[in-house]
Amino acid sequence: MTALPRRVRATAAAMDLLRRLRGRHGPLMLHQSGGCCDGSAPMCYPAGEFIVGDHDVLLGLLDLRLLVDELPTTAPEPDDIAPVWISGPQFAAWQHTQLVLDVVPGRGSGFSLESPEGFRFLSHGRVFDDNELVALAATEPVTGAGWERGERPAAATEPQVVAEAADACPIPGRGGSFA
C-alpha cells in the first residue's frame, strides 16, 4: 500500500512568507477560498479570525519550522502550525487533488494578510495517482466539527516543503518546470 500522501504542501517561498507573517501577526491559519470576491485563492488570516464551519475540511497542518525536504523530528509548538482549511463542497470537488501553496509577486486580496507584502498566495494542483487515492480513501478527513472534538489528521510521510511548485506538480512537456 502507498504511504499516506499530504493533501497540501507548500513551496519554500510560501513557507518563508508564512514565517514572516507569523512574526508580525502571531499564529496563522489558511482557508482555500472557493470563489466569489476572492476568486479561488488561499487566504491567510490570524488564527481564529476566520470561522471554520462544521463541514469545512482540514487539508493539513503546515509546520512552519520545516525547510525543503525536511520531516519533523519533534512535535511542533502550536504557534508553529498553520492549519489549511477548505469548504466541504469545494473539498468534494478537489479531494482527488494535492494542493501546493505557492507565492507569486502581485497584490492579493484585501482580506488576506499577505496583501500589503507585494505578494499573493496561489494554489497549484496535482491529481493524486490511483495508489494515493486508495491510501487517502482509508482515512477520513478531519472536518471543522471533528477538529472541535479533538480529531487530528493522520501523519503523512512525504516531506511537506518543496523548493518549487513544479517539484510537486510538474507540467507535462516542460521538463518539470514552470519556465
Side-chain angles (χ1 to χ4, degrees), residues 67-158:
L67 300 174
V68 174
D69 292 332
E70 286 185 338
L71 292 171
T73 56
T74 60
E77 296 295 323
D79 288 359
D80 291 327
I81 293 296
V84 181
W85 295 90
I86 191 169
S87 73
Q90 191 172 5
F91 177 76
W94 285 73
Q95 64 186 321
H96 64 284
T97 306
Q98 181 180 67
L99 295 181
V100 180
L101 180 69
D102 199 5
V103 64
V104 295
R107 190 174 186 313
S109 165
F111 299 119
S112 193
L113 288 176
E114 82 283 0
S115 185
E117 302 292 320
F119 295 96
R120 64 184 179 93
F121 288 114
L122 176 78
S123 290
H124 299 278
R126 176 187 69 83
V127 175
F128 291 116
D129 67 32
D130 290 342
N131 291 330
E132 290 172 320
L133 289 170
V134 167
L136 287 166
T139 304
E140 282 293 316
V142 175
T143 62
W147 181 267
E148 288 299 314
R149 289 191 303 269
E151 293 176 19
R152 296 301 179 259
T157 55
E158 70 182 330

Side-chain angles (χ1 to χ4, degrees), residues 161-172:
V161 183
V162 295
E164 302 286 334
D167 296 336
C169 46
I171 298 174

